[in-house]
Amino acid sequence: MTREREVVVLGAGMHPWGKWGRNFVEYGITAAQAALADAGLDWRDIQYVAGADTIRNGYPGFVAGATFAQALGWTGARVSSSYAACASGSQAIANARANILAGLVDVALVVGADAAPKGFFAPVGGDRPDDPDWVRFHVLGATNPTYFGLYARRRIDLYGATVEDFAKVKVKNAKNGLHNPNARYKKAFTLEDVAASPVVADPLRLMDICATSDGAAAVVLCSKEFAAKRTTNPVRISAVSTVTPTFPSAVIEMPDIATDSSAAVQPNDLSFRASLAHAAYEEAGLGPEDLSLAEVYDLSTALELDWIEDLAICGRGEAEKLLRDGATEVTGRIPVNASGGLGSFGEAVPAQAIAQVCELTWQLRGQAGARQVANAKVGITANQGLFGHGSSIIVTR
Amino acid sequence: MKDHKPVVPGWFTTDDEDFRLLGTRCTACGTVFFPRQDTFCKNPACAGTEFEELKLSGRGTVWSYTNAGYRPPAPYVSDPDVEWVPFTIVAVQLAEEGMIVLGQAEPGITVDDLTVGAEVEIVPGVLYETEDQVFTTWKFKPTGASA
């Protein structure tokens, strides 16, 4: 992609992750106001509001864009609301970006917020045998960690990973999260702490699996022309990949109980997760060798290792070596989850992909404090959710 | 004796002698579907709308496996008054169909009994019982062979 199709991240803001017991709208407004203040803008300057939906907070959650716009005070701004599971935040960013690049608006606010239940995510209520999300719980008792456990076990049986490798990811991300004021868990963990936690989905233990959290994140996006009057060295979004899988999708994914069949058509060489990053690299005209850091969706510790390979930072089965060598530490060659990742945040579904972009924005501006990655110029995000949703965003400076 | 009822009708045979998962095959392109597909083909290059039922392979190889260390939430059915015993979940690769299918392992099979690549067979099993009904399902069981 050429430079003229970039948009600028003018402001970033978050509400700290936690279990605060309040309405998601409150969190979203706090994050939105922080992003507006960071951008040096007034709410009334915003021409378009893109909300990322939450499905666990009733009707206001399904129309998040309008909910936030109304809470901030109706101004006549246009709105959209997106639901794309864990990629909802990226879809909202994609909507705002498309409107800016089409010249329809100059400046947009993107907000995602959630108030999450405790424990396992469960499907929406009622008997629905036609809904794969209902079927996998009812017929198999397959929770989200079931799938994380399946992927983790393959790393052990195929690549010689150990449960200690997985625990090392937790130790690293917990150390990074200590320095992040928006992280939920600011506590150092040892390998022994992880090993002492109960098994949730063998080989993964409780400390290997991310919690569910309340939290909110927001960004102000604008055209380069709009930004030029306000900043001389802007952080830019150079790619937003929200591609879907290609048929036949050969990896078992939430919430399915079977993959597509490759009896008639051979699967693509790139897995779905790898194709998300591939499309982002293509769009930005960059490659893994250009990255300063990566924020990936560590729903489990082992999944962070899968993502490192999906981003083509190393070959299949080589991520453990990068980890063991310290390459993915904040001080390493390719820091992964300098924010502390989901391990330190817990997942606030519609906010999480936006939070990844906030982190990259602060890192690229040199505002990340004790977790700052030296000389950060290019960052990538990656996430995946249910039903063929995923995203990868490249941010540059 | 309690009445036996498949947890989802039409997803597997009710014949214990030759127990199999039931899928469908697109008559136009040959793509296999489980759970069954009866209306339109999901192959983007195929406009097929006709499907024939078929029995899926009775054996496959372990793609991966895990267990449920905690009681899954509803709609999984379990008695909260009974102490939780983890069950094992297996992802099984079916070579002929070119697909991976999930299922619970037979009771008593733990993750220590499995490795990636080992052969398993599909067997009938019980998912849960109510006062007057037994809800049946499919389970996987190692054959002892490595594929």
Side-chain angles (χ1 to χ4, degrees), chain A residues 120-123 134-135 137-143 145-147 149-151 153-154 157-158 198-203 206 247 250-252 256-265, chain B residues 7-8 11 29-32 34-35 42-44 63-77 87 89 97-104 111 115-116 127-128 137-138:
Chain A
F120 290 117
F121 278 134
W134 184 89
V135 166
F137 277 96
H138 183 65
V139 178
L140 297 173
T143 60
T146 298
Y147 295 81
L150 294 173
Y151 305 147
R153 170 54 62 181
R154 276 181 73 78
D157 281 19
L158 296 183
V199 171
V200 174
D202 179 274
L206 193 59
F247 177 90
V251 176
I252 189 85
D256 294 329
I257 66 165
T259 61
D260 290 334
S261 152
S262 55
V265 183
Chain B
V7 62
V8 185
W11 279 17
C29 76
T31 295
V32 177
F34 179 81
K42 293 180 183 178
N43 173 359
W63 184 82
S64 194
Y65 51 97
T66 183
N67 66 11
Y70 286 77
R71 190 188 304 277
Y76 190 70
V77 179
F87 61 82
I89 295 185
E97 295 82 359
M99 67 197 301
I100 297 166
V101 177
L102 296 184
Q104 293 186 356
V111 290
T115 55
V116 170
L127 187 61
Y128 63 95
T137 188
W138 68 96

Coordinates of all heavy atoms in Angstrom, one line a residue, chain A residues 120-123 134-135 137-143 145-147 149-151 153-154 157-158 198-203 206 247 250-252 256-265, chain B residues 7-8 11 29-32 34-35 42-44 63-77 87 89 97-104 111 115-116 127-128 137-138:
Chain A
F120 N -15.5 -19.1 32.8 CA -15.5 -19.4 31.4 C -16.6 -18.5 30.7 O -17.7 -18.3 31.2 CB -16.0 -20.8 31.2 CG -15.0 -21.9 31.6 CD1 -15.3 -22.8 32.6 CD2 -13.8 -22.0 31.0 CE1 -14.4 -23.8 33.0 CE2 -12.9 -23.0 31.3 CZ -13.2 -23.9 32.4
F121 N -16.2 -18.1 29.5 CA -17.3 -17.5 28.6 C -18.2 -18.7 28.3 O -17.7 -19.7 27.9 CB -16.6 -16.9 27.3 CG -16.1 -15.6 27.5 CD1 -14.8 -15.2 27.0 CD2 -16.8 -14.6 28.2 CE1 -14.3 -14.0 27.1 CE2 -16.3 -13.3 28.3 CZ -15.1 -13.0 27.8
A122 N -19.5 -18.4 28.4 CA -20.5 -19.4 28.0 C -21.3 -18.8 26.8 O -21.4 -17.6 26.7 CB -21.4 -19.8 29.2
P123 N -22.0 -19.7 26.1 CA -22.8 -19.1 25.0 C -24.0 -18.4 25.5 O -24.4 -18.5 26.6 CB -23.2 -20.4 24.2 CG -23.1 -21.5 25.1 CD -22.1 -21.1 26.1
W134 N -23.3 -23.2 20.8 CA -24.2 -23.9 21.8 C -23.8 -25.4 21.7 O -23.6 -26.1 22.8 CB -25.6 -23.7 21.4 CG -26.6 -24.4 22.4 CD1 -27.1 -23.8 23.5 CD2 -27.2 -25.7 22.4 NE1 -27.9 -24.7 24.2 CE2 -28.0 -25.8 23.5 CE3 -27.0 -26.8 21.5 CZ2 -28.7 -27.0 23.7 CZ3 -27.7 -27.9 21.7 CH2 -28.5 -28.1 22.8
V135 N -23.6 -25.9 20.5 CA -23.3 -27.4 20.3 C -22.0 -27.8 21.0 O -22.0 -28.8 21.7 CB -23.3 -27.7 18.8 CG1 -22.6 -29.1 18.6 CG2 -24.7 -27.7 18.2
F137 N -20.5 -26.6 23.6 CA -20.6 -26.6 25.0 C -21.5 -27.8 25.4 O -21.2 -28.6 26.3 CB -21.3 -25.3 25.6 CG -20.3 -24.3 25.8 CD1 -20.0 -23.3 24.8 CD2 -19.5 -24.2 27.0 CE1 -19.1 -22.3 25.0 CE2 -18.6 -23.2 27.2 CZ -18.4 -22.2 26.2
H138 N -22.7 -28.0 24.7 CA -23.6 -29.0 25.2 C -23.1 -30.4 24.9 O -23.2 -31.3 25.7 CB -25.0 -28.8 24.5 CG -26.0 -29.7 24.9 ND1 -26.5 -29.8 26.2 CD2 -26.7 -30.7 24.2 CE1 -27.5 -30.7 26.3 NE2 -27.6 -31.3 25.1
V139 N -22.6 -30.6 23.6 CA -22.3 -32.0 23.2 C -20.9 -32.4 23.7 O -20.6 -33.6 23.9 CB -22.4 -32.1 21.7 CG1 -22.0 -33.5 21.2 CG2 -23.9 -31.8 21.2
L140 N -20.0 -31.5 23.8 CA -18.6 -31.8 24.1 C -18.1 -31.2 25.4 O -17.1 -31.7 25.9 CB -17.7 -31.3 22.9 CG -17.9 -31.9 21.6 CD1 -17.0 -31.2 20.5 CD2 -17.6 -33.4 21.6
G141 N -18.8 -30.2 25.9 CA -18.2 -29.5 27.1 C -16.9 -28.8 26.7 O -16.0 -28.7 27.5
A142 N -16.8 -28.4 25.4 CA -15.6 -27.7 24.9 C -15.7 -26.2 25.2 O -16.4 -25.5 24.5 CB -15.4 -28.0 23.4
T143 N -14.9 -25.8 26.2 CA -14.8 -24.4 26.5 C -13.7 -23.7 25.6 O -13.0 -24.4 24.9 CB -14.4 -24.2 28.0 OG1 -13.1 -24.8 28.2 CG2 -15.4 -24.8 28.9
P145 N -10.8 -22.6 26.6 CA -9.5 -23.2 26.9 C -9.3 -24.6 26.3 O -8.1 -25.1 26.2 CB -9.5 -23.3 28.5 CG -10.3 -22.1 28.9 CD -11.4 -22.1 27.8
T146 N -10.4 -25.3 26.0 CA -10.2 -26.6 25.4 C -9.4 -26.5 24.1 O -8.5 -27.2 23.8 CB -11.6 -27.2 25.0 OG1 -12.4 -27.4 26.2 CG2 -11.5 -28.5 24.2
Y147 N -9.8 -25.5 23.3 CA -9.1 -25.3 22.0 C -7.6 -24.8 22.3 O -6.7 -25.3 21.6 CB -9.8 -24.2 21.2 CG -11.2 -24.7 20.7 CD1 -12.3 -24.6 21.6 CD2 -11.4 -25.2 19.5 CE1 -13.5 -25.1 21.2 CE2 -12.6 -25.7 19.1 CZ -13.7 -25.6 19.9 OH -15.0 -26.0 19.6
G149 N -5.8 -25.7 24.8 CA -5.1 -26.9 25.2 C -4.7 -27.7 24.0 O -3.6 -28.3 24.0
L150 N -5.6 -27.9 23.0 CA -5.3 -28.7 21.8 C -4.1 -28.1 21.1 O -3.2 -28.8 20.7 CB -6.5 -28.7 20.9 CG -7.8 -29.4 21.4 CD1 -8.9 -29.2 20.4 CD2 -7.5 -30.9 21.6
Y151 N -4.1 -26.8 20.9 CA -3.0 -26.1 20.2 C -1.7 -26.3 21.0 O -0.6 -26.6 20.5 CB -3.2 -24.6 20.0 CG -4.5 -24.3 19.3 CD1 -5.2 -23.1 19.6 CD2 -5.0 -25.1 18.3 CE1 -6.4 -22.8 18.9 CE2 -6.2 -24.8 17.7 CZ -6.9 -23.6 18.0 OH -8.1 -23.3 17.4
R153 N -0.9 -28.6 23.2 CA -0.4 -30.0 23.2 C 0.4 -30.3 21.9 O 1.4 -31.0 21.9 CB -1.6 -31.0 23.3 CG -1.3 -32.4 23.1 CD -0.2 -33.0 23.9 NE -0.4 -32.9 25.4 CZ 0.4 -33.2 26.3 NH1 1.6 -33.7 26.0 NH2 0.1 -33.1 27.6
R154 N -0.1 -29.8 20.8 CA 0.6 -30.0 19.5 C 2.1 -29.5 19.6 O 3.0 -30.0 19.0 CB -0.1 -29.4 18.3 CG -1.2 -30.4 17.8 CD -2.0 -29.8 16.7 NE -1.2 -29.8 15.4 CZ -1.0 -30.9 14.6 NH1 -1.5 -32.1 15.0 NH2 -0.3 -30.8 13.5
D157 N 4.0 -32.2 21.5 CA 4.2 -33.4 20.8 C 4.9 -33.3 19.5 O 5.6 -34.2 19.0 CB 2.9 -34.1 20.6 CG 2.4 -34.8 21.9 OD1 2.8 -34.5 23.0 OD2 1.5 -35.7 21.8
L158 N 4.8 -32.1 18.8 CA 5.4 -31.9 17.5 C 6.8 -31.2 17.6 O 7.7 -31.5 16.8 CB 4.5 -31.2 16.6 CG 3.2 -31.8 16.2 CD1 2.5 -30.9 15.1 CD2 3.4 -33.2 15.6
P198 N -3.8 -24.8 39.2 CA -4.5 -26.0 38.8 C -4.6 -26.1 37.2 O -4.6 -25.1 36.5 CB -5.9 -25.9 39.4 CG -6.0 -24.4 39.7 CD -4.7 -23.9 39.9
V199 N -4.6 -27.4 36.8 CA -4.8 -27.6 35.3 C -6.2 -27.2 34.9 O -7.2 -27.7 35.5 CB -4.5 -29.1 35.0 CG1 -4.9 -29.4 33.5 CG2 -3.1 -29.5 35.3
V200 N -6.3 -26.4 33.9 CA -7.6 -26.1 33.3 C -7.9 -26.9 32.1 O -9.0 -27.5 31.9 CB -7.7 -24.6 32.9 CG1 -9.0 -24.2 32.2 CG2 -7.5 -23.7 34.2
A201 N -7.0 -26.9 31.2 CA -7.1 -27.7 29.9 C -5.7 -28.2 29.6 O -4.9 -27.5 29.0 CB -7.6 -26.9 28.8
D202 N -5.4 -29.5 30.0 CA -4.1 -30.0 29.9 C -3.5 -29.7 28.5 O -4.2 -30.0 27.5 CB -4.1 -31.5 30.2 CG -2.8 -32.2 30.0 OD1 -2.4 -32.6 28.9 OD2 -2.1 -32.3 31.1
P203 N -2.3 -29.3 28.4 CA -1.2 -29.1 29.4 C -1.3 -27.7 30.0 O -0.3 -27.3 30.7 CB 0.0 -29.2 28.6 CG -0.3 -28.7 27.2 CD -1.8 -29.0 27.0
L206 N -4.1 -22.7 35.1 CA -4.8 -21.5 35.3 C -4.0 -20.3 34.9 O -4.5 -19.3 34.3 CB -5.3 -21.4 36.7 CG -6.4 -20.3 37.0 CD1 -7.6 -20.5 36.2 CD2 -6.8 -20.3 38.5
F247 N -11.5 -21.5 2.3 CA -12.0 -22.8 2.3 C -11.0 -23.8 1.6 O -10.5 -23.4 0.5 CB -13.4 -22.9 1.5 CG -13.9 -24.3 1.4 CD1 -14.8 -24.8 2.4 CD2 -13.6 -25.1 0.4 CE1 -15.3 -26.1 2.3 CE2 -14.1 -26.4 0.3 CZ -14.9 -26.9 1.3
A250 N -8.3 -25.7 7.6 CA -7.9 -27.1 8.0 C -7.5 -27.2 9.5 O -7.1 -28.2 10.0 CB -6.7 -27.5 7.2
V251 N -7.6 -26.0 10.3 CA -7.3 -26.1 11.7 C -8.6 -26.0 12.5 O -9.5 -25.2 12.1 CB -6.3 -24.9 12.1 CG1 -6.1 -24.9 13.6 CG2 -5.0 -25.0 11.3
I252 N -8.7 -26.8 13.5 CA -9.9 -26.8 14.3 C -10.0 -25.4 15.1 O -9.0 -25.1 15.8 CB -10.0 -28.0 15.2 CG1 -11.4 -28.1 15.9 CG2 -8.9 -28.1 16.2 CD1 -12.4 -28.8 15.0
D256 N -16.1 -24.4 16.4 CA -16.4 -25.6 15.6 C -16.1 -26.9 16.2 O -15.1 -27.0 17.0 CB -15.8 -25.5 14.2 CG -16.3 -24.3 13.4 OD1 -17.5 -23.9 13.6 OD2 -15.6 -23.7 12.6
I257 N -16.8 -27.9 15.9 CA -16.5 -29.3 16.4 C -15.9 -30.1 15.3 O -15.5 -31.2 15.6 CB -17.7 -30.0 17.0 CG1 -18.8 -30.3 15.9 CG2 -18.4 -29.1 18.1 CD1 -19.8 -31.3 16.4
A258 N -15.7 -29.5 14.1 CA -15.0 -30.2 13.0 C -14.4 -29.1 12.1 O -15.0 -28.0 12.0 CB -15.9 -31.2 12.3
T259 N -13.4 -29.5 11.4 CA -12.9 -28.5 10.4 C -13.6 -28.7 9.1 O -14.4 -29.7 8.9 CB -11.4 -28.8 10.1 OG1 -11.3 -30.2 9.5 CG2 -10.5 -28.7 11.3
D260 N -13.4 -27.8 8.1 CA -13.8 -28.1 6.8 C -13.1 -29.4 6.3 O -12.1 -29.8 6.8 CB -13.4 -27.0 5.8 CG -14.2 -25.7 6.1 OD1 -15.3 -25.7 6.6 OD2 -13.6 -24.6 5.8
S261 N -13.7 -30.0 5.3 CA -13.2 -31.2 4.6 C -12.3 -30.7 3.5 O -12.6 -29.9 2.7 CB -14.3 -32.1 4.1 OG -13.8 -32.8 3.0
S262 N -11.1 -31.4 3.4 CA -10.2 -31.1 2.2 C -10.3 -32.3 1.2 O -9.4 -32.5 0.5 CB -8.8 -30.8 2.6 OG -8.3 -31.9 3.4
A263 N -11.5 -33.0 1.2 CA -11.6 -34.1 0.3 C -11.6 -33.7 -1.1 O -11.2 -34.4 -2.0 CB -12.9 -34.9 0.6
A264 N -12.2 -32.5 -1.4 CA -12.3 -32.0 -2.8 C -11.3 -30.9 -3.1 O -10.9 -30.7 -4.3 CB -13.7 -31.6 -3.0
V265 N -11.0 -30.1 -2.1 CA -10.1 -28.9 -2.4 C -9.0 -28.9 -1.4 O -9.2 -29.1 -0.2 CB -10.9 -27.6 -2.2 CG1 -10.1 -26.4 -2.5 CG2 -12.2 -27.6 -3.1
Chain B
V7 N -28.0 -37.4 21.3 CA -28.0 -36.0 21.8 C -28.3 -35.0 20.7 O -29.0 -34.0 20.9 CB -26.7 -35.6 22.5 CG1 -25.5 -35.7 21.6 CG2 -26.7 -34.3 23.2
V8 N -27.9 -35.3 19.5 CA -28.3 -34.6 18.3 C -28.8 -35.7 17.3 O -28.0 -36.5 16.9 CB -27.2 -33.7 17.7 CG1 -27.8 -32.9 16.5 CG2 -26.6 -32.8 18.7
W11 N -26.7 -37.3 13.6 CA -25.3 -37.1 13.6 C -24.5 -38.3 13.7 O -23.3 -38.3 13.4 CB -24.9 -36.1 14.7 CG -25.1 -34.7 14.4 CD1 -25.9 -34.2 13.4 CD2 -24.5 -33.6 15.0 NE1 -25.9 -32.8 13.4 CE2 -25.1 -32.4 14.4 CE3 -23.6 -33.4 16.1 CZ2 -24.7 -31.1 14.8 CZ3 -23.3 -32.1 16.5 CH2 -23.8 -31.0 15.8
C29 N -19.2 -31.8 -5.9 CA -17.8 -31.6 -5.8 C -17.1 -32.6 -4.8 O -15.9 -32.8 -4.8 CB -17.4 -30.2 -5.3 SG -17.7 -29.9 -3.5
G30 N -17.9 -33.4 -4.0 CA -17.3 -34.4 -3.2 C -16.9 -34.0 -1.8 O -16.4 -34.8 -1.1
T31 N -17.1 -32.7 -1.5 CA -16.7 -32.2 -0.2 C -17.6 -32.9 0.9 O -18.8 -33.0 0.6 CB -16.9 -30.7 -0.1 OG1 -15.9 -30.1 -0.9 CG2 -16.6 -30.2 1.3
V32 N -17.0 -33.3 2.0 CA -17.7 -34.0 3.0 C -18.1 -33.0 4.2 O -17.3 -32.1 4.4 CB -16.9 -35.1 3.6 CG1 -17.6 -35.8 4.8 CG2 -16.5 -36.1 2.5
F34 N -19.4 -32.6 8.2 CA -19.8 -33.0 9.5 C -19.6 -31.8 10.4 O -18.5 -31.3 10.5 CB -19.1 -34.2 10.1 CG -19.5 -34.5 11.5 CD1 -20.7 -35.3 11.7 CD2 -18.9 -34.0 12.6 CE1 -21.1 -35.6 12.9 CE2 -19.3 -34.3 13.9 CZ -20.5 -35.1 14.0
P35 N -20.6 -31.3 11.2 CA -22.0 -31.7 11.1 C -22.6 -31.7 9.7 O -22.2 -30.8 8.9 CB -22.7 -30.8 12.1 CG -21.7 -30.3 13.0 CD -20.4 -30.2 12.2
K42 N -20.4 -25.5 0.9 CA -19.6 -24.5 1.5 C -18.3 -24.3 0.7 O -17.5 -23.4 1.0 CB -19.3 -24.7 2.9 CG -20.5 -24.6 3.9 CD -20.0 -24.9 5.3 CE -21.3 -24.9 6.2 NZ -20.9 -25.2 7.6
N43 N -18.1 -25.1 -0.3 CA -17.0 -24.9 -1.2 C -17.3 -23.7 -2.1 O -18.3 -23.7 -2.9 CB -16.8 -26.2 -2.1 CG -15.7 -26.0 -3.1 OD1 -15.1 -24.9 -3.3 ND2 -15.5 -27.1 -3.9
P44 N -16.5 -22.6 -2.1 CA -16.9 -21.4 -2.8 C -16.9 -21.6 -4.3 O -17.5 -20.8 -5.1 CB -15.8 -20.4 -2.4 CG -14.7 -21.2 -1.9 CD -15.3 -22.4 -1.3
W63 N -5.0 -35.8 16.4 CA -4.4 -34.5 15.9 C -3.9 -33.8 17.2 O -2.9 -33.2 17.2 CB -5.4 -33.7 15.1 CG -4.9 -32.4 14.6 CD1 -4.2 -32.3 13.4 CD2 -5.1 -31.1 15.1 NE1 -3.9 -30.9 13.2 CE2 -4.4 -30.2 14.2 CE3 -5.7 -30.6 16.3 CZ2 -4.4 -28.8 14.5 CZ3 -5.6 -29.2 16.5 CH2 -5.0 -28.4 15.6
S64 N -4.7 -33.8 18.2 CA -4.3 -33.3 19.5 C -5.3 -33.7 20.6 O -6.3 -34.4 20.2 CB -4.2 -31.8 19.5 OG -3.5 -31.3 20.6
Y65 N -5.1 -33.4 21.8 CA -5.9 -33.8 22.9 C -5.7 -32.9 24.1 O -4.7 -32.3 24.3 CB -5.7 -35.3 23.3 CG -4.2 -35.5 23.5 CD1 -3.7 -35.6 24.8 CD2 -3.3 -35.8 22.5 CE1 -2.4 -35.8 25.1 CE2 -2.0 -36.0 22.7 CZ -1.5 -36.0 24.0 OH -0.2 -36.2 24.2
T66 N -6.8 -32.8 24.9 CA -6.7 -32.0 26.2 C -7.7 -32.6 27.1 O -8.3 -33.6 26.9 CB -6.9 -30.5 25.8 OG1 -6.8 -29.7 27.0 CG2 -8.3 -30.3 25.3
N67 N -7.9 -31.9 28.2 CA -9.0 -32.3 29.1 C -9.7 -31.2 29.7 O -9.4 -30.0 29.5 CB -8.4 -33.3 30.2 CG -7.5 -32.6 31.2 OD1 -7.4 -31.3 31.2 ND2 -6.8 -33.3 32.0
A68 N -10.8 -31.5 30.5 CA -11.6 -30.4 31.1 C -11.3 -30.5 32.6 O -11.9 -31.3 33.3 CB -13.1 -30.6 30.8
G69 N -10.4 -29.7 33.1 CA -10.0 -29.7 34.5 C -11.1 -29.1 35.4 O -11.1 -29.4 36.6
Y70 N -11.9 -28.3 34.8 CA -13.0 -27.7 35.5 C -14.3 -28.1 34.8 O -14.4 -28.3 33.7 CB -12.9 -26.1 35.5 CG -11.8 -25.6 36.4 CD1 -10.5 -25.6 36.0 CD2 -12.2 -25.0 37.6 CE1 -9.5 -25.1 36.9 CE2 -11.2 -24.4 38.4 CZ -9.9 -24.5 38.1 OH -8.9 -24.0 38.9
R71 N -15.4 -28.0 35.6 CA -16.7 -28.3 35.1 C -17.1 -27.2 34.0 O -17.1 -26.0 34.4 CB -17.7 -28.3 36.2 CG -19.1 -28.8 35.9 CD -20.1 -28.5 37.1 NE -19.6 -29.1 38.4 CZ -19.8 -30.3 38.8 NH1 -20.4 -31.2 38.0 NH2 -19.3 -30.8 39.9
P72 N -17.4 -27.6 32.8 CA -17.8 -26.6 31.8 C -19.2 -26.0 32.2 O -20.0 -26.7 32.8 CB -18.0 -27.4 30.5 CG -17.3 -28.7 30.8 CD -17.4 -29.0 32.2
P73 N -19.4 -24.8 31.8 CA -20.7 -24.2 32.2 C -21.8 -24.7 31.3 O -21.6 -25.4 30.3 CB -20.5 -22.7 31.8 CG -19.4 -22.7 30.7 CD -18.6 -23.9 31.0
A74 N -23.1 -24.5 31.7 CA -24.3 -24.8 30.9 C -24.1 -24.1 29.5 O -23.5 -23.0 29.5 CB -25.5 -24.4 31.6
P75 N -24.5 -24.7 28.5 CA -25.5 -25.9 28.4 C -24.8 -27.3 28.5 O -25.5 -28.3 28.2 CB -26.1 -25.7 27.0 CG -25.0 -25.0 26.2 CD -24.3 -24.1 27.1
Y76 N -23.6 -27.4 29.0 CA -23.1 -28.7 29.3 C -23.8 -29.2 30.5 O -24.1 -28.4 31.4 CB -21.6 -28.7 29.6 CG -21.0 -30.1 29.7 CD1 -20.8 -30.8 28.6 CD2 -20.6 -30.6 30.9 CE1 -20.3 -32.1 28.6 CE2 -20.1 -31.9 31.0 CZ -19.9 -32.6 29.9 OH -19.4 -33.9 29.9
V77 N -24.2 -30.5 30.5 CA -25.1 -31.0 31.5 C -24.2 -31.8 32.5 O -23.5 -32.8 32.1 CB -26.2 -31.9 30.9 CG1 -27.1 -32.5 32.1 CG2 -27.1 -31.1 29.9
F87 N -12.8 -35.0 32.1 CA -12.9 -35.9 30.9 C -11.9 -35.4 29.9 O -11.4 -34.2 30.0 CB -14.3 -35.9 30.3 CG -14.8 -34.6 29.9 CD1 -14.5 -34.1 28.6 CD2 -15.7 -33.8 30.7 CE1 -15.0 -32.9 28.2 CE2 -16.1 -32.6 30.2 CZ -15.8 -32.1 29.0
I89 N -10.7 -34.7 25.9 CA -11.3 -34.3 24.6 C -10.2 -34.5 23.6 O -9.0 -34.2 23.8 CB -11.7 -32.8 24.6 CG1 -12.9 -32.6 25.5 CG2 -12.1 -32.4 23.2 CD1 -13.4 -31.2 25.5
E97 N -11.7 -38.3 4.7 CA -12.6 -37.1 4.7 C -11.8 -35.8 4.7 O -12.3 -34.8 4.4 CB -13.6 -37.1 5.8 CG -14.6 -38.3 5.8 CD -14.0 -39.6 6.4 OE1 -12.8 -39.6 6.8 OE2 -14.8 -40.6 6.4
G98 N -10.5 -35.9 5.0 CA -9.7 -34.7 5.1 C -10.2 -33.7 6.1 O -10.2 -32.5 5.8
M99 N -10.6 -34.2 7.3 CA -11.1 -33.3 8.3 C -10.7 -33.7 9.7 O -10.3 -34.9 9.9 CB -12.6 -33.1 8.1 CG -13.4 -34.3 8.4 SD -15.1 -34.2 7.8 CE -15.7 -32.7 8.6
I100 N -10.8 -32.8 10.6 CA -10.6 -33.1 12.0 C -11.9 -32.9 12.8 O -12.6 -32.0 12.5 CB -9.5 -32.0 12.6 CG1 -8.2 -32.2 11.9 CG2 -9.4 -32.3 14.1 CD1 -7.3 -31.0 12.2
V101 N -12.2 -33.9 13.6 CA -13.4 -34.0 14.3 C -13.1 -34.1 15.8 O -12.2 -34.8 16.2 CB -14.3 -35.2 13.9 CG1 -15.6 -35.2 14.8 CG2 -14.7 -35.1 12.4
L102 N -13.8 -33.3 16.6 CA -13.7 -33.3 18.1 C -14.6 -34.3 18.7 O -15.7 -34.5 18.2 CB -13.9 -32.0 18.7 CG -13.0 -30.8 18.4 CD1 -13.4 -29.6 19.2 CD2 -11.6 -31.1 18.6
G103 N -14.2 -34.9 19.8 CA -15.1 -35.7 20.6 C -14.5 -36.0 22.0 O -13.3 -35.8 22.2
Q104 N -15.3 -36.4 22.9 CA -14.8 -36.8 24.2 C -14.2 -38.2 24.1 O -14.6 -39.0 23.2 CB -15.9 -36.9 25.2 CG -16.5 -35.5 25.6 CD -17.5 -35.6 26.7 OE1 -17.8 -36.6 27.2 NE2 -18.0 -34.4 27.1
V111 N -5.3 -38.1 29.4 CA -4.3 -37.5 28.4 C -3.0 -38.3 28.4 O -2.3 -38.4 27.4 CB -4.0 -36.0 28.7 CG1 -5.2 -35.1 28.5 CG2 -3.5 -35.8 30.2
T115 N -1.2 -39.9 22.4 CA -0.1 -39.1 21.8 C -0.6 -38.6 20.4 O -1.5 -39.3 19.8 CB 1.2 -39.9 21.6 OG1 0.9 -41.0 20.8 CG2 1.8 -40.3 22.9
V116 N 0.0 -37.5 19.9 CA -0.4 -37.1 18.6 C 0.1 -38.1 17.6 O 1.2 -38.6 17.7 CB 0.3 -35.7 18.3 CG1 0.2 -35.4 16.8 CG2 -0.3 -34.6 19.1
L127 N -23.6 -39.4 27.0 CA -23.3 -38.0 27.3 C -23.8 -37.7 28.7 O -23.1 -37.2 29.6 CB -23.8 -37.0 26.3 CG -23.3 -35.6 26.5 CD1 -21.8 -35.4 26.4 CD2 -24.0 -34.6 25.5
Y128 N -25.1 -37.9 28.9 CA -25.7 -37.7 30.3 C -27.1 -38.4 30.3 O -27.6 -38.8 29.3 CB -25.9 -36.2 30.6 CG -26.8 -35.5 29.7 CD1 -28.2 -35.3 30.1 CD2 -26.4 -34.9 28.5 CE1 -29.0 -34.6 29.2 CE2 -27.2 -34.2 27.7 CZ -28.5 -34.0 28.0 OH -29.4 -33.4 27.2
T137 N -24.0 -40.3 22.6 CA -23.1 -39.5 21.8 C -22.0 -40.4 21.2 O -22.1 -41.6 21.3 CB -22.5 -38.4 22.6 OG1 -21.8 -37.5 21.8 CG2 -21.6 -38.9 23.7
W138 N -21.0 -39.8 20.6 CA -19.8 -40.5 20.2 C -18.6 -40.3 21.1 O -18.6 -39.2 21.7 CB -19.5 -40.2 18.7 CG -18.9 -38.8 18.6 CD1 -17.6 -38.4 18.5 CD2 -19.7 -37.6 18.4 NE1 -17.5 -37.0 18.3 CE2 -18.7 -36.5 18.3 CE3 -21.0 -37.3 18.4 CZ2 -19.1 -35.2 18.1 CZ3 -21.4 -35.9 18.2 CH2 -20.5 -34.9 18.1

